[in-house]
Amino acid sequence: MVKTTSKWVCQQCGYESVGYLGKCPSCSAWGSFLEETTTKGNDFNSAANEFVNNDKPQLLEDIKINATFRIPTHISEFDRILGGGLAEGSLILLAGDPGIGKSTLTLQTCGQLASADKKILYVSAEESANQVKSRADRLEIKTDNIYIYPQTNMENIKTQIEELEPDFVIIDSIQAIYSNNVESTAGSVSQIRECCNILMHIAKSKNITTIVIGHVTKDGNIAGPKVLEHIVDTVIYFEGDKYKSYRLLRSMKNRFGNTSEIGIFEMQSNGLKCITNPNEIFLNERSKISIPGSAIVVTNEGTRPLIVEIQALVGSTPYSTPRRVTNGFDMSRLLQILAVLEKRVGLNLSKQDVYINVTGGININEPSADLGVALAVATCARDIVINEKTVIIGEIGLTGEIHPVNNIEKRLVEAKSSGFTSAVIPEMGKLKYNGKIKIIPVKRLIDAITACIKKGDK
Ligand code: TYD
Ligand code: MG
């Protein structure tokens, strides 16, 4: 039986309502509701659930699992964040800003998989076959195993997958394909959700590993659909400044591995190259002379400590409300650090603009960079330089105390091997690290600033 239903859906967050709403009660967006009509026939009824074919509950003890079979992509940084390779039959969402390199990475992955004798169907919904071919030439991919299919209709794609029986399917991109089951335009929340459900069903029932590419909007959502994130097995974000050559892959969800790993690439004229020694590269970007407002922090991304420079610029403001601008660091965290600096250290920033920049186009999400940010701001405001061979590690609490951070030994080892000679770190009992780096333990933010002033006066 075919049933047609109509509903109003928020295009920002996927909230559904029976009638039009001016403001979304879920995400507070204004004017984001669009009417969407869904026609459900027997064929696609609960497409996502068809692979769950047990109609009775089973005893946990009786369930036999097959070990997840992983296919390595032989792109070392991609394998690192996937947990060793693409899990067979999984659905992976690769999201990022337009132009960041999603199609390049997937085509390079296809090249590697094709040389391992895997059959691949590359659905190009945005670019013509010629465009994909010229990218493949640029990446020097020559193989008989990759089929390019410029198509936007989900039902046609489904038919071709059934005929071709590939090992891998690439959808580039999910925002450009539409299903006949839904009457809204391609890219709407209902279309994206329906197409993704159909792809999930195909991936699970036929054991085809599927990579779905999704664009991210200005405000950081995978255009409209956060809704996709809970359908797919793995969500990977491509980040970085597209005007610079470094790119970061970050896994936000992974049903088959760990989520804290990052992969680092450089975009070159013939594709993305893995960066295995990121610290050397990030430190090379650093200015050679010490300048007030620069602090080196050691963040711990996954299993790898990363050494990055935080730059701060503090200057008197021409505006009635001072400006706070960050690039690569969380704004609300910066505001919290500035409040602590004002209240606990007595640094008056109410008439000062504050700009923060993390070099290398990286986003730092870890709180251990707090102390580096605070010291960069404080030393810039006071015109002091931090010793260029010192790293700064620590999380700041609201009372101005410095909280311990995890994996401190690993961070110190990395700092030492990159040529640093001293480290300002939280006071944290006995350290297992006994390498040759001078440790300056600090309990409070004011102690850290005093320690840096002493160094600055050298
Ligand atoms: P692309 O993969 O098309 O981005 P997305 O699919 O995320 O929109 O790549 C975007 C940019 O990368 C484009 O501006 C050209 C550049 N590029 C290179 O610098 N080197 C290369 O080898 C390739 C294929 C692309
Ligand atoms: Mg693309």
Side-chain angles (χ1 to χ4, degrees):
M1 197 185 80
V2 175
K3 199 170 130 207
T4 303
T5 50
S6 155
K7 61 193 171 193
W8 291 80
V9 183
C10 169
Q11 300 300 305
Q12 294 287 329
C13 69
Y15 182 86
E16 293 177 7
S17 155
V18 283
Y20 177 78
L21 296 176
K23 184 182 177 190
C24 175
S26 170
C27 69
S28 305
W30 286 94
S32 60
F33 277 81
L34 209 74
E35 187 175 21
E36 298 187 353
T37 315
T38 315
T39 312
K40 288 223 175 229
N42 285 340
D43 187 18
F44 287 107
N45 219 350
S46 66
N49 288 332
E50 275 182 47
F51 64 90
V52 187
N53 47 16
N54 293 319
D55 53 0
K56 283 201 182 121
Q58 274 178 286
L59 261 179
L60 186 62
E61 284 284 294
D62 295 344
I63 300 173
K64 303 268 175 291
I65 52 163
N66 305 322
T68 314
F69 188 63
R70 287 182 191 281
I71 303 123
T73 63
H74 297 293
I75 298 176
S76 60
E77 294 294 294
F78 195 22
D79 283 341
R80 167 197 281 273
I81 62 155
L82 289 167
L86 294 159
E88 202 174 46
S90 64
L91 186 63
I92 297 136
L93 173 66
L94 176 63
D97 288 329
I100 197 95
K102 301 177 296 298
S103 306
T104 309
L105 179 68
T106 22
L107 200 56
Q108 273 180 262
T109 308
C110 291
Q112 293 289 345
L113 295 168
S115 24
D117 240 9
K118 303 285 180 198
K119 198 199 282 183
I120 298 142
L121 176 65
Y122 191 110
V123 179
S124 175
E126 288 178 357
E127 292 170 312
S128 67
N130 283 349
Q131 282 171 296
V132 182
K133 171 74 179 151
S134 68
R135 183 180 291 120
D137 287 347
R138 192 170 174 182
L139 301 173
E140 292 165 16
I141 296 171
K142 285 186 189 63
T143 167
D144 288 338
N145 289 332
I146 305 178
Y147 294 80
I148 307 294
Y149 184 40
Q151 179 59 261
T152 52
N153 181 277
M154 189 60 233
E155 282 68 37
N156 290 349
I157 296 169
K158 187 172 187 246
T159 314
Q160 290 307 319
I161 296 175
E162 278 162 357
E163 262 178 37
L164 200 65
E165 297 187 334
D167 301 301
F168 289 87
V169 171
I170 313 291
I171 305 290
D172 187 0
S173 71
I174 188 79
Q175 272 102 1
I177 61 171
Y178 70 95
S179 160
N180 298 338
N181 298 340
V182 180
E183 274 180 21
S184 53
T185 51
S188 66
V189 170
S190 301
Q191 277 293 3
I192 289 174
R193 190 158 34 196
E194 179 68 11
C195 293
C196 202
N197 271 336
I198 297 172
L199 288 166
M200 183 66 163
H201 160 57
I202 300 171
K204 298 294 165 187
S205 60
K206 300 192 185 302
N207 214 22
I208 298 174
T209 311
T210 309
I211 300 180
V212 172
I213 292 178
H215 295 294
V216 170
T217 54
K218 281 200 287 312
D219 42 351
N221 282 336
I222 307 169
K226 273 278 174 202
V227 284
L228 280 193
E229 292 194 356
H230 57 256
I231 303 176
V232 300
D233 296 311
T234 305
V235 180
I236 295 170
Y237 273 88
F238 222 145
E239 39 182 77
D241 187 340
K242 71 177 172 189
Y243 301 108
K244 290 197 184 142
S245 53
Y246 299 114
R247 303 281 188 276
L248 241 97
L249 265 193
R250 199 185 286 274
S251 128
M252 310 299 277
K253 163 184 173 181
N254 194 349
R255 285 187 182 144
F256 303 101
N258 137 6
T259 52
S260 53
E261 286 294 352
I262 59 165
I264 304 173
F265 296 88
E266 183 176 4
M267 180 63 96
Q268 296 183 351
S269 59
N270 57 348
L272 288 156
K273 296 282 170 289
C274 296
I275 304 275
T276 43
N277 55 348
N279 291 332
E280 253 173 50
I281 287 171
F282 294 146
L283 290 175
N284 264 346
E285 294 210 339
R286 193 184 169 192
S287 52
K288 296 287 173 263
I289 42 163
S290 301
I291 295 172
S294 155
I296 305 292
V297 300
V298 190
T299 74
N300 196 53
E301 302 285 351
T303 54
R304 178 162 59 178
L306 275 187
I307 304 183
V308 280
E309 183 189 11
I310 309 252
Q311 297 176 335
L313 185 64
V314 180
S316 53
T317 182
Y319 308 105
S320 52
T321 316
R323 302 196 72 191
R324 271 78 178 101
V325 179
T326 77
N327 187 7
F329 191 75
D330 184 49
M331 176 61 94
S332 54
R333 234 179 145 89
L334 171 67
L335 296 179
Q336 185 178 315
I337 293 170
L338 297 184
V340 175
L341 275 171
E342 291 217 31
K343 182 79 184 169
R344 309 290 173 197
V345 181
L347 188 67
N348 186 358
L349 298 165
S350 59
K351 301 264 182 318
Q352 310 276 312
D353 287 336
V354 177
Y355 300 86
I356 294 290
N357 182 39
V358 179
T359 56
I362 291 196
N363 279 334
I364 297 187
N365 298 333
E366 214 215 1
S368 74
D370 286 2
L371 186 55
V373 172
L375 289 184
V377 171
T379 55
C380 186
R382 292 278 177 265
D383 221 10
I384 310 163
V385 285
I386 302 176
N387 184 330
E388 76 275 9
K389 293 272 181 239
T390 304
V391 292
I392 317 282
I393 306 166
E395 178 181 348
I396 300 177
L398 289 181
T399 57
E401 80 282 9
I402 309 296
H403 293 304
V405 299
N406 61 7
N407 292 324
I408 188 83
E409 289 87 4
K410 219 184 211 177
R411 299 178 203 239
L412 293 173
V413 170
E414 187 66 37
K416 172 74 190 140
S417 70
S418 298
F420 290 90
T421 53
S422 59
V424 177
I425 65 165
E427 203 172 82
M428 49 200 298
K430 183 124 184 63
L431 267 186
K432 280 195 220 105
Y433 178 74
N434 57 4
K436 288 198 180 64
I437 195 164
K438 186 179 168 215
I439 307 278
I440 306 162
V442 288
K443 233 181 183 161
R444 310 190 56 77
L445 179 53
I446 186 84
D447 305 337
I449 295 177
T450 316
C452 286
I453 290 176
K454 272 196 228 137
K455 292 196 154 300
D457 288 344
K458 74 188 161 68

mmCIF file of all heavy atoms in Angstrom, residues 61 83 149 172 242 316 445 453:
data_model
loop_
_atom_site.group_PDB
_atom_site.id
_atom_site.type_symbol
_atom_site.label_atom_id
_atom_site.label_comp_id
_atom_site.label_asym_id
_atom_site.label_seq_id
_atom_site.Cartn_x
_atom_site.Cartn_y
_atom_site.Cartn_z
ATOM 1 N N GLU A 61 24.031 -14.634 24.805
ATOM 2 C CA GLU A 61 24.992 -15.744 24.752
ATOM 3 C C GLU A 61 24.990 -16.454 23.402
ATOM 4 O O GLU A 61 26.020 -16.955 22.956
ATOM 5 C CB GLU A 61 24.619 -16.789 25.818
ATOM 6 C CG GLU A 61 24.991 -16.398 27.224
ATOM 7 C CD GLU A 61 26.484 -16.557 27.437
ATOM 8 O OE1 GLU A 61 26.935 -17.693 27.395
ATOM 9 O OE2 GLU A 61 27.177 -15.538 27.618
ATOM 10 N N GLY A 83 41.028 3.319 12.501
ATOM 11 C CA GLY A 83 41.331 2.213 13.413
ATOM 12 C C GLY A 83 41.913 1.029 12.646
ATOM 13 O O GLY A 83 41.652 -0.117 13.005
ATOM 14 N N TYR A 149 29.971 6.885 -12.112
ATOM 15 C CA TYR A 149 28.560 6.929 -12.472
ATOM 16 C C TYR A 149 27.990 8.298 -12.099
ATOM 17 O O TYR A 149 27.657 8.535 -10.939
ATOM 18 C CB TYR A 149 27.846 5.808 -11.706
ATOM 19 C CG TYR A 149 26.376 5.637 -12.020
ATOM 20 C CD1 TYR A 149 25.899 5.754 -13.321
ATOM 21 C CD2 TYR A 149 25.477 5.321 -11.001
ATOM 22 C CE1 TYR A 149 24.550 5.577 -13.585
ATOM 23 C CE2 TYR A 149 24.134 5.136 -11.257
ATOM 24 C CZ TYR A 149 23.677 5.271 -12.563
ATOM 25 O OH TYR A 149 22.346 5.100 -12.831
ATOM 26 N N ASP A 172 29.180 11.011 -3.873
ATOM 27 C CA ASP A 172 29.797 12.344 -3.830
ATOM 28 C C ASP A 172 28.837 13.344 -4.476
ATOM 29 O O ASP A 172 28.812 13.497 -5.680
ATOM 30 C CB ASP A 172 31.124 12.288 -4.589
ATOM 31 C CG ASP A 172 31.924 13.573 -4.455
ATOM 32 O OD1 ASP A 172 31.449 14.490 -3.775
ATOM 33 O OD2 ASP A 172 33.018 13.656 -5.044
ATOM 34 N N LYS A 242 41.310 26.112 4.068
ATOM 35 C CA LYS A 242 41.490 25.646 2.689
ATOM 36 C C LYS A 242 42.440 26.539 1.895
ATOM 37 O O LYS A 242 42.869 26.191 0.815
ATOM 38 C CB LYS A 242 40.156 25.470 1.979
ATOM 39 C CG LYS A 242 39.432 26.702 1.628
ATOM 40 C CD LYS A 242 38.173 26.327 0.858
ATOM 41 C CE LYS A 242 37.338 27.564 0.671
ATOM 42 N NZ LYS A 242 36.043 27.319 0.135
ATOM 43 N N SER A 316 44.675 48.228 22.780
ATOM 44 C CA SER A 316 43.532 49.032 23.234
ATOM 45 C C SER A 316 42.508 49.147 22.096
ATOM 46 O O SER A 316 42.861 49.217 20.921
ATOM 47 C CB SER A 316 43.978 50.404 23.716
ATOM 48 O OG SER A 316 44.738 50.984 22.694
ATOM 49 N N LEU A 445 47.542 30.119 38.237
ATOM 50 C CA LEU A 445 47.847 30.872 37.019
ATOM 51 C C LEU A 445 48.883 31.958 37.298
ATOM 52 O O LEU A 445 49.804 32.178 36.517
ATOM 53 C CB LEU A 445 46.531 31.463 36.480
ATOM 54 C CG LEU A 445 46.616 32.311 35.233
ATOM 55 C CD1 LEU A 445 47.323 31.583 34.115
ATOM 56 C CD2 LEU A 445 45.225 32.723 34.762
ATOM 57 N N ILE A 453 57.660 35.635 33.584
ATOM 58 C CA ILE A 453 58.257 36.969 33.685
ATOM 59 C C ILE A 453 59.739 36.823 34.001
ATOM 60 O O ILE A 453 60.591 37.445 33.397
ATOM 61 C CB ILE A 453 57.544 37.819 34.765
ATOM 62 C CG1 ILE A 453 56.149 38.169 34.270
ATOM 63 C CG2 ILE A 453 58.336 39.084 35.078
ATOM 64 C CD1 ILE A 453 55.296 38.922 35.237
#
